[in-house]
Amino acid sequence: MPLLESRPCPTPQEARAIMTVRTRFAPSPTGYLHVGGARTALFSYLHARKHGGRFVLRIEDTDLERSSAESVNAILEGMTWLGLDYDEGPFYQTERFERYNAVIEDLLARDLAYRCDCPKVRLEALREEQMAEKQKPRYDGHCRDRQIDPASPHVIRFRNPLVGQVVVDDLIRGRVVFSNTELDDLVIRRTDGSPTYNLAVVVDDADMGITQVIRGDDHINNTPRQINILRAMGVEPPQYAHVPMILGDDGARLSKRHGAVSVISYRDAGYLPEALLNYLVRLGWSHGDQEVFSLDEMITLFDIANVNKAASSFNTEKLDWLNQEYLKSADPARVANLLRTHLGALGIDPTEGPDPELVVVAQAARAKTLVELAEISAFCYRDFADYDPEAAKKHLRPVAREALVRLRAAFEMMALEDWTPEPLHRGVERVAEELEEKLGKVAQPLRVAIVGRAASPGIDVTLQLVGKEATLRRIDRALAFIANREAQGGA
RNA sequence: GCUCCCUUCGUCUAGUGGUCUAGGACACCGGCCUCUCACGUCGGUAACAGGGGUUCAAAACCCCUAGGGAGCGCCA
């Protein structure tokens, strides 16, 4: 494909295609999709969706050493889980080497690039020398006018302009100006013939008609180089938006030691994708005082120009809060399905107890994650191992015996079809009245007896979830515990 | 070292020269609700990095300082 071919005027259809917004997410498959990348992807996605444009996924795998198929899968899995569906791709750069080489050859033919065979030692010495003189290390253009035998090993460097400046009107940062004297002649093709990142990105962004390049701000310093290459290719540069990075809770760069960084680890930890998305969109962006956004709201309200310039710290507490909000408001049937998986992870068979949907309705407001939801709901499906020591000490005392005995008798007489909150509540209430005690004096020992802890949903719902059989069994166990304690001389 | 960038409560943020004795959210603390724990609800603590300008007026504009970050690869 020739680069500078004069074309006839675009048809209306083509013109529309040119005008339409096209964004991309271009991860390199050298690891998992982490939250920083996910947010960048989200911003790109939102920008495209908001403008009725197209969202392209491109895999930047030119580094054959570090790229892996597992990473590609992990990234795709993360994207799918978050629901960030792309319209085109994934495109793989390794499949486009021919195209990159065509561009490089063209640049070479027009003397906008040149061969360089500077040995590593020379480059290293140069670098040291420049550092010693307190200068920015950069290539000195030694091979600019040398004629290097194409047959001998060499790299190809881009002939960067020596004068002038490059102006980037960044959608987020505003105008940033770079002087060409700060830039050097970067390598665009390695000795092994493979193209480097800066070349591949530029060719792809141009070929794929990307209109807004939304990426991490660690790329801002690459932008002037890329614009220069684009201009050499005769292509009008796209708009750029450099989003700030995400830091860990402690303000340091996000890394493994901060715990979960991969998107998938959040899924496994029991977060809902919409909660993570909502959390991420509010990191560096806001719309007045609004905290909760549905995906549709994000699409209509998001504006890349409103993204903050400063880096922000990831705060798990706030994510937890949002996740709980979504756990409470999501369709219980859907949450129940997810809960089944997490119960399974605890070795629990969800069919051996109440319908998980009932559990979700009863417990959602008590859990921050699905993992926590499963943990605090395990008592519905299997007998707990031990009583919480504090709870047992406080509530499973001889004074509670009479209440438990009466409750047991009342429950035993109840028909299975009456084992629902209303009758159960009346039953507990009646025992309290008989003993002339407050409800708490009766409900708390009962709760500890059947849950093992002093915290659970309302006692009636708790009884319903535990079921008649297990309730009677656990009351017996509590009575035995009390008797044993008494025998030991405990009060 | 050089280049570029950033700086409002602990954290995420609102704020686009007067409506700011700086608003919201998370977290934290306290009250209420209540059979427990949550939820909910009401209230509270808490910030314009520092210094100079510009202006009648500055969190907002300019400069300097400090602190922080990114980049400076035949990595992306």
Side-chain angles (χ1 to χ4, degrees):
Chain A
M1 195 192 307
L3 276 170
L4 294 173
E5 189 185 35
S6 64
R7 287 188 177 145
C9 275
T11 65
Q13 213 171 19
E14 279 171 347
R16 214 173 307 122
I18 292 165
M19 291 308 291
T20 168
V21 165
R22 293 172 62 84
T23 65
R24 44 73 157 187
F25 177 52
S28 60
T30 55
Y32 299 105
L33 176 63
H34 57 93
V35 293
R39 187 186 56 162
T40 303
L42 173 63
F43 285 179
S44 289
Y45 171 89
L46 292 176
H47 184 77
R49 289 284 171 274
K50 180 187 179 71
H51 294 97
R54 312 270 290 173
F55 178 53
V56 180
L57 179 63
R58 182 170 78 224
I59 306 296
E60 311 218 318
D61 55 354
T62 53
D63 183 355
L64 306 170
E65 298 280 304
R66 298 199 302 158
S67 300
S68 73
E70 296 79 68
S71 292
V72 172
N73 289 335
I75 290 166
L76 296 181
E77 188 182 12
M79 298 279 288
T80 302
W81 180 63
L82 287 173
L84 299 178
D85 47 303
Y86 36 91
D87 307 298
E88 293 171 33
F91 297 115
Y92 294 84
Q93 291 190 322
T94 42
E95 292 173 4
R96 290 173 46 77
F97 278 19
E98 236 178 277
R99 169 63 180 147
Y100 305 136
N101 274 318
V103 172
I104 291 168
E105 290 303 328
D106 181 78
L107 256 19
L108 219 39
R110 292 188 293 126
D111 206 30
L112 292 167
Y114 60 93
R115 298 187 176 85
C116 165
D117 64 356
C118 287
K120 211 160 200 163
V121 285
R122 177 176 186 278
L123 265 19
E124 276 163 11
L126 178 66
R127 180 190 161 80
E128 272 174 39
E129 193 182 310
Q130 288 166 328
M131 288 292 270
E133 284 175 41
K134 304 195 173 192
Q135 288 175 341
K136 185 185 199 170
R138 47 187 190 222
Y139 184 64
D140 61 357
H142 178 73
C143 295
R144 270 200 159 215
D145 302 309
R146 294 179 61 214
Q147 295 304 314
I148 288 158
D149 177 9
S152 63
H154 64 271
V155 299
I156 292 173
R157 288 182 184 274
F158 174 67
R159 194 183 294 276
N160 197 78
L162 296 172
V163 297
Q165 46 190 205
V166 181
V167 177
V168 182
D169 280 310
D170 192 280
L171 261 18
I172 294 172
R173 297 308 181 81
R175 173 164 293 201
V176 185
V177 180
F178 298 86
S179 172
N180 273 322
T181 56
E182 291 300 328
L183 274 24
D184 65 356
D185 294 343
L186 72 160
V187 172
I188 56 177
R189 183 160 77 191
R190 304 184 183 95
T191 307
D192 67 4
S194 62
T196 59
Y197 165 77
N198 280 300
L199 188 277
V201 167
V202 153
V203 173
D204 286 343
D205 285 338
D207 286 357
M208 296 171 190
I210 303 304
T211 53
Q212 281 81 26
V213 170
I214 299 169
R215 54 169 29 162
D217 71 357
D218 46 334
H219 288 293
I220 188 125
N221 290 292
N222 284 324
T223 308
R225 302 167 178 285
Q226 295 181 3
I227 288 175
N228 281 333
I229 298 176
L230 243 9
R231 294 230 169 95
M233 288 168 63
V235 175
E236 191 55 32
Q239 287 187 296
Y240 292 91
H242 287 94
V243 325
M245 61 187 294
I246 296 178
L247 309 172
D249 299 64
D250 55 359
R253 187 173 192 156
L254 203 58
S255 68
K256 308 102 247 149
R257 75 185 163 75
H258 290 102
V261 285
S262 102
V263 161
I264 290 303
S265 67
Y266 283 94
R267 177 195 65 188
D268 298 342
Y271 291 89
L272 260 19
E274 60 267 41
L276 219 211
L277 242 25
N278 195 146
Y279 178 72
L280 256 18
V281 83
R282 280 286 288 104
L283 217 48
W285 175 81
S286 61
H287 178 75
D289 289 339
Q290 188 169 345
E291 294 289 348
V292 180
F293 297 84
S294 68
L295 226 209
D296 284 342
E297 283 177 309
M298 288 183 204
I299 290 169
T300 56
L301 299 174
F302 183 76
D303 184 347
I304 191 70
N306 281 346
V307 173
N308 285 166
K309 299 175 184 183
S312 37
S313 297
F314 194 94
N315 183 246
T316 306
E317 274 95 40
K318 186 151 183 180
L319 204 214
D320 283 346
W321 170 74
L322 268 172
N323 201 49
Q324 184 169 56
E325 289 294 304
Y326 280 99
L327 244 20
K328 285 190 292 181
S329 62
D331 171 27
R334 173 180 160 232
V335 179
N337 267 328
L338 298 168
L339 175 60
R340 284 188 178 89
T341 305
H342 283 90
L343 284 170
L346 294 180
I348 291 168
D349 177 355
T351 63
E352 310 248 300
D355 181 349
E357 200 170 325
L358 287 177
V359 175
V360 169
V361 171
Q363 297 273 61
R366 294 177 170 76
K368 297 187 185 308
T369 66
L370 289 160
V371 167
E372 191 183 348
L373 184 59
E375 285 167 358
I376 65 171
S377 304
F379 74 88
C380 302
Y381 299 91
R382 68 177 177 204
D383 289 351
F384 48 90
D386 295 297
Y387 294 108
D388 170 67
E390 286 293 304
K393 187 178 177 191
K394 185 171 179 189
H395 299 291
L396 296 186
R397 301 193 298 172
V399 290
R401 182 189 286 124
E402 184 60 20
L404 289 173
V405 168
R406 285 177 184 244
L407 286 165
R408 192 193 188 288
F411 293 150
E412 192 163 27
M413 283 167 53
M414 284 177 68
L416 234 39
E417 58 266 32
D418 291 332
W419 199 262
T420 54
E422 298 75 25
L424 287 166
H425 187 80
R426 281 197 299 276
V428 177
E429 235 171 15
R430 198 165 301 130
V431 170
E433 282 161 15
E434 286 168 13
L435 297 173
E436 296 187 339
E437 293 278 15
K438 289 193 167 187
L439 191 59
K441 289 285 184 194
V442 173
Q444 275 308 80
L446 175 59
R447 173 172 281 112
V448 177
I450 66 174
V451 179
R453 298 183 296 121
S456 85
I459 194 66
D460 47 3
V461 173
T462 301
L463 285 162
Q464 180 193 30
L465 293 174
V466 169
K468 181 175 176 178
E469 191 197 341
T471 294
L472 297 179
R473 184 172 66 242
R474 293 180 194 176
I475 289 175
D476 287 339
R477 178 182 174 185
L479 288 169
F481 178 89
I482 291 171
N484 185 49
R485 176 179 184 166
E486 203 167 30
Q488 305 272 316

